[in-house]
């Protein structure tokens, strides 16, 4: 279930009533109220904010949790299995018929009690196998977690951006940016990743990097010299270095696997997805 423009439509009086249940300090309540009613700039004009909270600020997710705390308790009271993160949530049931009934009752509660609007275009009743939630999918019986195809595409798009073969960036700057990105991405998605999957992504990333090396060695003489320097046999270095094929094709060649080996990449600072994932997996 998706809430339509949640942060834009939060009713201030409904929210402040729930905040005041726990917060007794009138100065703090006044400060939060001023925050909510601060208004917004549209182009060069100031417009009052009569509903909603400002997005992007650190207080908005906290206020969302305060507002939806009643929703959590209502779901628990009804005995529903559910999961919620800020304004994103799933409610589970055993059959499609019961899911339809629960959907209607939940929508009535959100509309009447919390004055929120359900987005019917993005809300649906469906099996868990086709659900994406916070970048995760549920696979097979029991709902084993996996990374959604959409987020795997985003991962590859970001790696392609970092390892694109133009722009004059050094290999080391690419390695540094990849390390930072890998640590954050695996830190979030490690619950849905498996060993074979991270090994496959590692292999694909190494090929991208080998293509970058090949692009940097843009002269035939330089390619032959670098291949020889990195341990490739002379006849293979000459035949590969003289090839007119592009960087992506040559990145998978036997000579490049010898020259730019996994050990070579590790020693020079390329982050290893499997190694990062293993640290998280060992803590599960």
């Amino acid at each position: 279930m998706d809430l339509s423009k949640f942060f834009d439509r939060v009713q201030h009086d409904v929210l402040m009533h729930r905040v005041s249940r726990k917060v007794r300090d009138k100065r703090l309540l006044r400060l939060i109220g001023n925050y909510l009613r601060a208004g917004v700039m549209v182009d060069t004009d100031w417009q009052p904010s009569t509903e909603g909270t400002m997005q992007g600020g650190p207080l908005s997710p906290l206020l969302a949790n305060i507002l939806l705390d009643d929703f959590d308790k209502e779901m628990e009271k009804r005995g529903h299995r559910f999961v919620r993160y800020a304004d994103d949530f799933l409610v589970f049931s055993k059959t499609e018929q019961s899911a339809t009934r629960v959907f209607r009752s939940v929508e009535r509660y959100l509309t009447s009690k919390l004055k929120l609007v359900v987005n019917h275009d993005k809300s649906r009743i469906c099996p868990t196998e086709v659900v994406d939630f916070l970048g995760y999918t549920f696979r097979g019986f029991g709902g084993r977690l996996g990374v959604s195809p959409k987020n795997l595409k985003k991962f590859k798009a970001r790696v392609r951006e970092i390892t694109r073969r133009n722009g004059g960036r050094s290999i080391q700057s690419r390695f540094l940016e990849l390390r930072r990105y890998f640590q954050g991405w695996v830190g979030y998605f490690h619950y849905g990743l498996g060993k074979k999957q991270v090994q496959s992504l590692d292999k694909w990333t190494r090929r991208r990097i080998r293509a970058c090396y090949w692009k940097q060695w843009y002269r035939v003489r330089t390619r032959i010299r670098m291949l020889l320097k990195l341990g490739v046999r002379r006849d293979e270095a000459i035949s590969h270095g003289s090839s007119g094929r592009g960087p992506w094709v040559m990145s998978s060649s036997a000579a490049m696997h010898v020259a730019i080996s996994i050990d070579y990449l590790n020693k020079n600072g390329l982050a290893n997805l499997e190694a990062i994932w293993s640290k998280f997996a060992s803590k599960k």
Side-chain angles (χ1 to χ4, degrees):
M1 186 170 281
D2 182 82
L3 298 176
S4 179
K5 298 182 180 180
F6 175 79
F7 289 103
D8 294 334
R9 290 179 169 171
V10 171
Q11 299 295 309
H12 292 171
D13 55 343
V14 175
L15 174 59
M16 290 305 298
H17 172 69
R18 282 157 177 78
V19 173
S20 64
R21 291 175 183 172
K22 298 290 185 181
V23 178
R24 304 301 181 188
D25 190 329
K26 291 183 179 180
R27 294 171 301 170
L28 181 55
L29 290 172
R30 186 163 51 250
L31 180 62
I32 296 173
N34 290 339
Y35 169 88
L36 293 171
R37 296 185 297 272
V40 294
M41 292 296 294
V42 179
D43 295 327
T44 58
D45 299 325
W46 176 86
Q47 292 186 5
S49 49
T50 57
E51 61 181 5
T53 68
M54 285 181 279
Q55 297 187 46
L59 186 57
S60 291
L62 177 60
L63 294 176
N65 282 335
I66 292 172
L67 178 63
L68 291 171
D69 185 57
D70 282 1
F71 169 78
D72 295 344
K73 289 181 169 59
E74 182 67 20
M75 293 298 100
E76 291 171 356
K77 188 173 84 172
R78 297 183 186 185
H80 294 317
R81 292 178 179 270
F82 72 101
V83 57
R84 182 181 68 79
Y85 184 87
D87 62 319
D88 294 321
F89 62 90
L90 303 174
V91 182
F92 300 94
S93 62
K94 292 184 178 180
T95 66
E96 185 177 356
Q97 183 179 5
S98 64
T100 303
R101 176 173 45 79
V102 169
F103 186 100
R104 290 171 182 165
S105 66
V106 168
E107 182 177 13
R108 281 196 301 270
Y109 177 81
L110 291 169
T111 304
S112 62
K113 297 293 185 181
L114 301 182
K115 310 302 180 185
L116 299 172
V117 179
V118 173
N119 185 338
H120 286 272
D121 292 332
K122 295 184 178 180
S123 301
R124 57 178 175 158
I125 297 167
C126 61
T128 55
E129 288 83 358
V130 297
V131 169
D132 286 0
F133 184 65
L134 303 177
Y136 281 92
T137 59
F138 302 91
R139 298 173 179 171
F141 183 77
R144 186 169 61 88
L145 289 176
V147 182
S148 70
K150 179 181 177 181
N151 281 278
L152 285 173
K153 287 182 181 179
K154 285 184 178 179
F155 171 85
K156 288 196 170 186
R158 181 67 180 127
V159 173
R160 285 192 185 97
E161 183 183 349
I162 296 171
T163 59
R164 64 181 185 270
R165 295 184 290 276
N166 52 24
R169 294 185 62 187
S170 69
I171 293 292
Q172 288 304 316
S173 70
R174 290 187 174 100
F175 284 177
L176 178 61
E177 194 167 352
L178 284 172
R179 177 175 295 278
R180 290 171 176 168
Y181 181 62
F182 285 178
Q183 288 174 337
W185 191 80
V186 175
Y188 183 82
F189 284 112
H190 65 276
Y191 292 108
L193 291 168
K195 186 174 183 178
K196 289 184 179 179
Q197 191 172 32
V198 293
Q199 287 175 340
S200 176
L201 292 173
D202 265 332
K203 183 178 178 180
W204 176 78
T205 302
R206 288 193 295 268
R207 185 174 179 183
R208 296 282 310 175
I209 291 296
R210 290 188 180 105
C212 290
Y213 275 105
W214 191 261
K215 178 73 173 180
Q216 286 189 352
W217 307 338
Y218 62 96
R219 293 180 178 176
V220 171
R221 184 180 299 177
T222 303
R223 290 171 180 170
I224 295 173
R225 177 170 56 83
M226 292 304 299
L227 290 172
L228 287 170
K229 181 181 178 181
L230 294 169
V232 178
R233 293 202 322 262
R234 185 171 185 80
D235 59 332
E236 287 189 356
I238 293 173
S239 64
H240 282 72
S242 304
S243 174
R245 294 180 176 180
W248 183 245
V249 174
M250 296 307 298
S251 64
S252 64
S253 65
M256 283 300 286
H257 275 76
V258 172
I260 311 297
S261 64
I262 296 176
D263 287 341
Y264 179 88
L265 291 171
N266 290 340
K267 288 178 183 177
N268 280 273
L270 177 62
N272 186 279
L273 272 171
E274 184 180 0
I276 298 171
W277 171 81
S278 296
K279 291 179 181 179
F280 286 101
S282 65
K283 297 177 182 178
K284 290 182 183 179

